[in-house]
Amino acid sequence: MGHSPRTRPCPLCAGTARGLLFCRDSWDVVECASCSMVYLAQEIPYSTQLDEHEFADSYVREHQRRKQKHPLLLAISGRTRKLKPEIGDRLLAQTLRWWPAAKGGKLLDFGCGDGKFLEKAAQYFAVTGVEISPRLAQMAAARVPGARIIRAPITEAALPAGAFDVVTQFSVLEHEWRPLDALRAAHRALAPAGITVLKVPNHASWNRHIMRADWCGYRLPDHCNYFTPRTLAAMLRSAGFTPLPGSLFDRFPTSDSLWLAARKM
Ligand SMILES: [Zn+2]
């Protein structure tokens, strides 16, 4: 396959004792024996990842594979998706729920992709994006002319300390080889009492228990962290955040997504 994977310790507690949940194409999904964090046991460098495992390619591959194995379930989930509000609007609504529009301020978006969310957020905030993919960073810069787009991995981006009111992390922490470092970077970048709003796949969902290794949240090796409400809250606390009461929206096992907001104390 061309990559040379390294063994990865638990991204939450740094432990190395773990149990194997399943293996696919030589990738091991494991559960930490100390803290129950579920994660990908191998790690590949960012550069290799960009060359060989572009996010979009792996999405198409997984979609095709699931379509063959579970045509009915996929058809149902495809239909439900059309009933949901446009995703960018939902991300903005969740953000404004924890940081009212009237307060305004500076927003930093980790993993801003092609800038669809930044474009909406720019109506209320001065916006900055961090994006690892050069192609997507270029699209974001073109889409949101007033935005500053930093082209780097989150954990290597040069960010001003204490400069932001809100850090958004939508569908990004599950991709980070060092998610705790990413949360610490968010913590440093935030002003006191600033907030972060996150969305990740929910490893505690019923759908995951039913679909097992064929669950839509498993994308190997793109998704290397698999959070439950408990492990996400624990990692946020380790980074110095306090999860906000009532912010575990969609935490119920019926949802494949997990939302959480936390404050820098
Ligand atoms: Zn652990």
Side-chain angles (χ1 to χ4, degrees):
M1 285 177 82
H3 62 263
S4 44
R6 292 188 296 257
T7 302
R8 212 182 153 217
C10 172
L12 175 52
C13 77
T16 49
R18 66 254 194 127
L20 180 69
L21 291 193
F22 71 92
C23 174
R24 184 198 298 158
D25 301 335
S26 82
W27 300 105
D28 295 334
V29 175
V30 298
E31 181 171 340
C32 176
S34 309
C35 75
S36 302
M37 176 77 201
V38 175
Y39 64 100
L40 187 64
Q42 296 93 1
E43 174 174 347
I44 49 176
Y46 285 125
S47 52
T48 318
Q49 188 173 22
L50 271 181
D51 295 344
E52 296 180 17
H53 306 282
E54 265 286 323
F55 168 81
D57 296 342
S58 127
Y59 179 79
V60 169
R61 215 163 52 225
E62 286 285 316
H63 188 83
Q64 288 302 332
R65 204 180 51 74
R66 289 208 308 278
K67 202 162 139 187
Q68 282 166 9
K69 287 192 76 173
H70 306 277
L72 181 62
L73 274 169
L74 201 75
I76 292 168
S77 103
R79 287 179 64 175
T80 348
R81 200 168 299 133
K82 291 197 190 85
L83 302 175
K84 290 176 184 167
E86 205 206 323
I87 189 73
D89 290 333
R90 189 151 193 234
L91 299 178
L92 184 62
Q94 274 296 315
T95 306
L96 296 178
R97 196 176 150 205
W98 301 102
W99 193 270
K103 287 174 86 173
K106 292 183 181 170
L107 180 143
L108 171 64
D109 188 33
F110 279 176
C112 69
D114 64 4
K116 280 204 188 78
F117 168 70
L118 273 190
E119 185 181 31
K120 290 180 184 293
Q123 298 172 262
Y124 304 96
F125 300 93
V127 295
T128 301
V130 180
E131 174 53 50
I132 187 175
S133 156
R135 186 174 54 85
L136 293 175
Q138 200 168 26
M139 287 167 76
R143 187 190 293 272
V144 199
R148 179 176 174 218
I149 307 295
I150 301 169
R151 211 183 78 184
I154 290 160
T155 49
E156 292 169 18
L159 297 165
F164 297 92
D165 302 296
V166 179
V167 176
T168 47
Q169 311 183 60
F170 299 132
S171 307
V172 58
L173 209 59
E174 64 269 32
H175 296 271
E176 265 301 322
W177 295 112
R178 283 166 199 77
L180 184 52
D181 286 351
L183 292 182
R184 284 179 177 141
H187 193 269
R188 261 196 313 277
L190 281 170
I195 61 157
T196 186
V197 185
L198 303 102
K199 176 181 183 252
V200 295
N202 181 10
H203 197 261
S205 74
W206 281 335
N207 194 23
R208 199 271 302 171
H209 289 284
I210 295 164
M211 301 294 278
R212 305 172 74 95
D214 286 319
W215 178 52
C216 58
Y218 289 127
R219 278 188 225 152
L220 311 177
D222 294 335
H223 290 184
C224 53
N225 310 303
Y226 295 96
F227 294 98
T228 62
R230 202 181 59 74
T231 55
L232 182 58
M235 194 177 284
L236 279 160
R237 283 191 205 96
S238 286
F241 284 102
T242 302
L244 293 172
S247 80
L248 266 172
F249 176 70
D250 266 9
R251 71 193 180 282
F252 301 106
T254 46
S255 174
D256 276 328
S257 294
L258 180 59
W259 297 77
L260 207 153
R263 190 176 299 280
K264 173 175 180 169
M265 293 298 179

